[in-house]
Amino acid sequence: MKKKRAYNRFLAYGLSIAAFSSLLTIPAAAQTNVHVLDVGQGLSVLVESQGHYMLYDGGDRTKSSYVVSYLRDQGIVSLDYVIASHYDTDHLNGVVGALNVFPTGQVFSPDYTADTRVYHSFLSAIKSKKLKNKQPAVGSQYRLGDASFQILSPSGTGYSDVNNYSIAIRIQDGDTSFLITGDAEAESEAEVCRADLELDSDVYVMGHHGSGSSTTWELLQNVNPEYAILSCGAGNSYGHPHAESMEKLQSMDIQLLRTDKQGTIIASTDGSSITWNVSPCNDYTPGDPDDKPAKPQTSAGSSTKGNPSVNASSSRSVPASTTYILNTSTKKIHYPNCKSVKQMSEKNKKTTTESRESLISQGYTPCGNCNP
Ligand SMILES: [Zn+2]
Ligand SMILES: [Zn+2]
């Protein structure tokens, strides 16, 4: 499905009809669906093809149970692949949630460590479930139903910014293709461009939530997408998406869909054309730069330099300790004020301030009523 720019307007009209009909039924011919979940400020992508599933990232802590229930709603009982693009909390938390719920064939994660609770929960989930986990080689390819995906990064080590460790992939089904780069920044994007791999893609999931430190001209021109999907939180404090990224899309006439304006975005492909659950909004408005923190989430040469195991943004988002009530018999986590706590027998009741992630990694699940 390659780029008929002259027909963009006609296509946009056709798409809105396609979008309407997809509300009624999923097109019978669709073989691969790419869901970019609305996880606010974070990223989570589900790829399904012929009963095979891959989860790429899972959003932040507050979205973990949403991601798990979204997967359950798709009828998923197991995952073929789970990719943890890198270990920042806005990508990794929901991965841990999913690994604790769904049997998983193969986990891919990059070769660095992080000194965060969620990273340790990730490691303990892998250990307790005896999951296969490895850093995939750049260039390697894996099959997922009718689709396949190729690993594009990271090809380097010792990055001063952990975002550059992001595992980038290109998914292909027939003549259609999708590119996802996680939070890879300019340095890693340049390596992706030098790797002599096919980059040209119909759909580009914007790197690092539309930050100006990603989506370089070089990458964008190599990918040459017809559509971009942006995953970011409305009114996020980073000012994502940044104006320079939005201007690049506009100047290349790339149609835009965004989770902060449109919710979860689903692209369906039969291998020759792509249909959407919503039409592109083509709203290129950047985030409010006044909301940017004094110290951005991920600037190259920041305090993480020379020590990739420390991630300032992750440690900042670790919440103050919360008290939970556990039912050691049903393995549920509750807030102290949940009505089930009153009915719980004393012998099954346990009070704890352990982190939610750590409890989940021990096999506990959050109560569906109080939603801890
Ligand atoms: Zn991120
Ligand atoms: Zn990141």
Side-chain angles (χ1 to χ4, degrees):
M1 180 192 179
K2 223 35 215 174
K3 329 278 162 41
K4 299 185 179 72
R5 298 253 185 252
Y7 297 121
N8 268 355
R9 263 196 204 99
F10 171 75
L11 195 60
Y13 175 72
L15 274 166
S16 60
I17 296 169
F20 177 71
S21 52
S22 75
L23 288 175
L24 307 173
T25 98
I26 295 239
Q31 291 166 337
T32 299
N33 298 308
V34 177
H35 308 237
V36 179
L37 278 67
D38 177 13
V39 291
Q41 185 65 15
L43 181 67
S44 181
V45 183
L46 170 69
V47 185
E48 49 161 323
S49 186
Q50 305 287 30
H52 294 273
Y53 299 95
M54 169 174 65
L55 180 68
Y56 180 105
D57 290 347
D60 212 335
R61 190 179 70 90
T62 56
K63 300 295 176 180
S64 178
S65 50
Y66 164 70
V67 170
V68 167
S69 59
Y70 189 93
L71 267 53
R72 282 200 174 116
D73 289 348
Q74 305 301 311
I76 295 176
V77 291
S78 65
L79 295 160
D80 298 66
Y81 304 97
V82 169
I83 298 179
S85 71
H86 66 305
Y87 306 131
D88 281 354
T89 59
D90 58 320
H91 300 249
L92 187 60
N93 265 288
V95 164
V96 177
L99 290 179
N100 279 307
V101 171
F102 301 102
T104 299
Q106 174 71 56
V107 180
F108 292 129
S109 65
D111 187 16
Y112 75 101
T113 59
D115 190 15
T116 58
R117 288 187 200 179
V118 65
Y119 177 67
H120 292 292
S121 303
F122 172 69
L123 293 184
S124 53
I126 287 178
K127 198 172 165 195
S128 67
K129 307 263 173 192
K130 299 186 171 60
L131 299 176
K132 289 187 282 178
N133 177 31
K134 67 170 177 183
Q135 180 185 4
V138 169
S140 54
Q141 266 180 301
Y142 299 89
R143 180 142 287 282
L144 184 80
D146 271 345
S148 64
F149 62 95
Q150 183 167 42
I151 307 296
L152 309 178
S153 73
S155 53
T157 55
Y159 297 111
S160 60
D161 188 321
V162 295
N163 283 335
N164 283 314
Y165 282 99
S166 291
I167 296 174
I169 60 170
R170 179 176 179 274
I171 303 158
Q172 183 157 12
D173 180 352
D175 294 333
T176 61
S177 46
F178 302 77
L179 191 106
I180 310 175
T181 59
D183 278 355
E185 314 255 345
E187 182 180 0
S188 185
E189 286 185 2
E191 290 168 354
V192 166
C193 292
R194 283 198 298 268
D196 196 26
L197 299 167
E198 178 76 55
L199 296 181
D200 188 276
S201 303
D202 299 298
V203 180
Y204 166 54
V205 178
M206 294 194 77
H208 196 189
H209 323 288
S211 168
S213 52
S214 301
T215 310
T216 52
W217 276 121
E218 187 188 16
L219 183 82
L220 204 52
Q221 284 165 355
N222 274 288
V223 179
N224 191 25
E226 180 156 6
Y227 303 98
I229 305 176
L230 168 67
S231 178
C232 70
N236 68 81
S237 59
Y238 305 107
H240 293 157
H242 291 160
E244 52 268 54
S245 306
M246 292 292 101
E247 285 160 11
K248 284 174 190 163
L249 296 189
Q250 265 189 299
S251 74
M252 285 178 67
D253 198 18
I254 297 165
Q255 302 205 54
L256 178 64
L257 302 100
R258 47 195 289 182
T259 61
D260 61 336
K261 309 272 184 198
Q262 302 178 279
T264 293
I265 311 281
I266 307 170
S268 302
T269 174
D270 59 4
S272 57
S273 65
I274 296 171
T275 55
W276 300 89
N277 68 324
V278 287
S279 304
C281 64
N282 296 335
D283 179 345
Y284 302 93
T285 317
D288 185 347
D290 292 340
D291 289 342
K292 262 192 238 173
K295 193 171 188 299
Q297 181 189 21
T298 49
S299 58
S302 68
S303 63
T304 57
K305 192 170 186 115
N307 185 1
S309 70
V310 175
N311 183 338
S313 67
S314 302
S315 51
R316 191 170 58 228
S317 53
V318 171
S321 72
T322 305
T323 301
Y324 299 111
I325 308 295
L326 305 178
N327 185 323
T328 54
S329 165
T330 61
K331 292 285 210 179
K332 288 282 179 198
I333 312 169
H334 303 273
Y335 280 132
N337 63 359
C338 178
K339 67 179 189 311
S340 347
V341 170
K342 292 191 193 77
Q343 293 152 8
M344 200 183 296
S345 85
E346 282 304 322
K347 73 174 168 56
N348 298 332
K349 194 186 289 184
K350 189 182 164 199
T351 304
T352 182
T353 54
E354 263 192 86
S355 76
R356 186 175 178 280
E357 287 84 7
S358 139
L359 295 167
I360 288 171
S361 73
Q362 295 163 43
Y364 283 91
T365 53
C367 164
N369 292 320
C370 62
N371 288 313

